[in-house]
Amino acid sequence: YDDEEANAKVDAALEKVDEAAEILKNGGLVAFPTETVYGLGANALDPKAVAKIYEAKGRPSDNPLIVHISRASDIGELTPMLTPKIIKLIDHFWPGPLTMVLTKKDNVPDITTGGLDTVAIRMPDDPAALELIKKAGCPVAAPSANISGRPSPTKGEHVVEDLNGKIDAILVGGDCRVGIESTVLDMTGEVPTILRPGILTAEDIQAAIGGKVEMDPALYINRPRDVSEEDSEGPAPKAPGMKYTHYAPKADMTIIEGQRDRVKKEIERLKGLNENLGLKVGVILFEEKAFIEAAHDFFARLRDLDEEGVDLILAGALSEQDGVGFAVMNRMLKSAGYRIAKV
Ligand code: TXA
Ligand code: MG
């Protein structure tokens, strides 16, 4: 981090790492910062500890967890897979916001992988997280540290809001630099496939390993809110978590899409109209090409608007031509229940 306040937060977290690691060793739950979003951790190899994660979050048990490690060499405990491409990806992107889905070894319990024979692995880029995992002495399973369905937490106070009293400890560190969850890349097939888009884009991955990188076709299907999972058309996403409507703010949200000036005007118009009806309206409108900033701020904005008690949220669409824009839009569409108005 380059500012003093952030560094002070990291130092404060580092001071508590020993205590937090002890809790993980004893089968408890600890929330901790990562560069993407805060995670809710437990010993990934202890089924009883992992069961507590699902319970605390209210998470469906078919939704597998990401297993976090602190040294690239620890990957061998979890998977027998190690190809030249995997090694290149580790060299380029770890520690960092890349999760790889690989075939799992038998010691990884079913509850950690939602019954799948693959395991998702990542090495986070946060000093407190790395120290915590190292000291715990075990791989750490961790989904985002929010109540299921709420926006992912990008600040310590978001975790306190959702999980205080439900888990054994919250390691409060710096605010998350990235702000959206890691890119999930399936490496078990012929062609590496992105199951969840993130700040690391298909182009970034392609530049590192060459060859083709595909997107899970399910990422292009914007299911309308009133269609149930069973009835919806098209392929099911390969990352089980991607099928759920996530990140829903309390207010109803609509995305306005179209040419920039028209979007701005339409948001102004709808805002005025609804305010005249006595409704409280929140607006999310990022600068046109500020994709990284949008990723950083989006979840925090949703939580702020919930706090303010708005009735309605109007959000300007980002360009999905850009890889990071696509990743933020993936979250924005879910938050809005796929409600989009084109102007
Ligand atoms: O940035 C992140 O990835 C954060 C931080 C804490 O590391 N974690 C996170 O975890 O976002 P979670 O549980 O909220 O999301 C994990 C995603 C889900 O969509 C899940 O379905 C998918 O990864 N996933 C996990 N294991 C998988 C597997 N074996 N095969 C396919 N998808 C998997
Ligand atoms: Mg999550």
Side-chain angles (χ1 to χ4, degrees):
Y1 294 98
D2 42 15
D3 79 89
E4 244 173 70
E5 199 190 322
N7 280 320
K9 284 186 182 172
V10 175
D11 287 344
L14 283 170
E15 268 175 39
K16 295 284 182 186
V17 155
D18 284 324
E19 231 175 295
E22 225 23 64
I23 295 173
L24 288 178
K25 274 188 187 165
N26 293 323
L29 296 187
V30 176
F32 60 95
T34 85
E35 82 282 24
T36 56
V37 302
Y38 272 74
L40 173 58
N43 179 350
L45 303 181
D46 175 352
K48 276 196 195 135
V50 173
K52 292 185 200 162
I53 293 182
Y54 287 93
E55 198 186 312
K57 274 186 64 104
R59 179 178 174 110
S61 61
D62 72 337
N63 192 1
L65 307 174
I66 294 173
V67 179
H68 298 69
I69 56 178
S70 63
R71 283 173 301 241
S73 54
D74 290 345
I75 195 177
E77 194 184 356
L78 305 167
T79 177
M81 267 182 91
L82 205 58
T83 64
K85 278 189 180 170
I86 295 171
I87 293 169
K88 272 191 195 158
L89 287 167
I90 291 174
D91 280 348
H92 272 85
F93 299 119
W94 280 5
L98 175 71
T99 295
M100 282 190 265
V101 172
L102 304 168
T103 50
K104 84 170 184 77
K105 280 193 172 169
D106 286 344
N107 60 323
V108 183
D110 278 342
I111 187 167
T112 302
T113 64
L116 298 174
D117 54 10
T118 54
V119 57
I121 309 174
R122 135 172 153 87
M123 179 171 162
D125 187 16
D126 178 280
L130 291 172
E131 206 47 31
L132 174 69
I133 300 162
K134 200 181 295 168
K135 291 205 162 133
C138 59
V140 174
S144 48
N146 52 302
I147 297 289
S148 259
R150 293 221 66 207
S152 293
T154 58
K155 300 178 182 190
E157 62 244 43
H158 297 161
V159 184
V160 173
E161 236 170 68
D162 278 17
L163 295 176
N164 196 19
K166 297 193 173 117
I167 61 178
D168 300 299
I170 300 172
L171 193 60
V172 174
D175 296 351
C176 303
R177 286 198 311 279
V178 174
I180 55 173
E181 307 87 341
S182 61
T183 304
V184 177
L185 183 68
D186 183 1
M187 292 300 292
T188 62
E190 201 120 301
V191 181
T193 303
I194 291 184
L195 307 185
R196 179 175 71 182
I199 204 103
L200 283 179
T201 64
E203 294 78 62
D204 297 330
I205 292 165
Q206 224 152 12
I209 59 175
K212 271 205 297 190
V213 173
E214 280 174 356
M215 305 294 282
D216 185 350
L219 292 173
Y220 295 100
I221 295 165
N222 300 337
R223 279 177 264 197
R225 165 185 248 183
D226 54 357
V227 173
S228 72
E229 302 296 341
E230 294 77 38
D231 298 342
S232 64
E233 303 264 325
K238 277 213 200 132
M242 295 296 282
K243 70 175 178 278
Y244 298 106
T245 305
H246 266 98
Y247 321 129
K250 290 170 193 143
D252 274 337
M253 178 166 162
T254 302
I255 299 171
I256 314 293
E257 185 181 61
Q259 193 257 329
R260 180 77 183 170
D261 291 337
R262 287 206 205 145
V263 167
K264 272 188 172 169
K265 271 196 197 131
E266 183 63 2
I267 287 181
E268 275 315 303
R269 191 184 73 84
L270 290 172
K271 184 167 185 278
L273 232 139
N274 282 283
E275 282 174 349
N276 285 341
L277 295 172
L279 295 174
K280 204 166 169 187
V281 180
V283 170
I284 300 180
L285 186 63
F286 298 108
E287 293 297 319
E288 192 160 18
K289 294 205 169 115
F291 301 112
I292 300 284
E293 190 189 327
H296 182 268
D297 289 355
F298 178 64
F299 286 133
R301 280 289 289 153
L302 285 185
R303 282 187 183 255
D304 287 348
L305 291 173
D306 267 350
E307 190 95 330
E308 285 168 33
V310 301
D311 300 297
L312 188 76
I313 298 173
L314 300 169
L318 296 165
S319 165
E320 291 181 88
Q321 299 308 111
D322 179 88
V324 178
F326 182 80
V328 179
M329 279 301 284
N330 173 270
R331 277 75 178 179
M332 201 185 269
L333 283 160
K334 288 182 183 178
S335 309
Y338 298 98
R339 187 170 16 206
I340 267 207
K342 301 201 184 200
V343 290

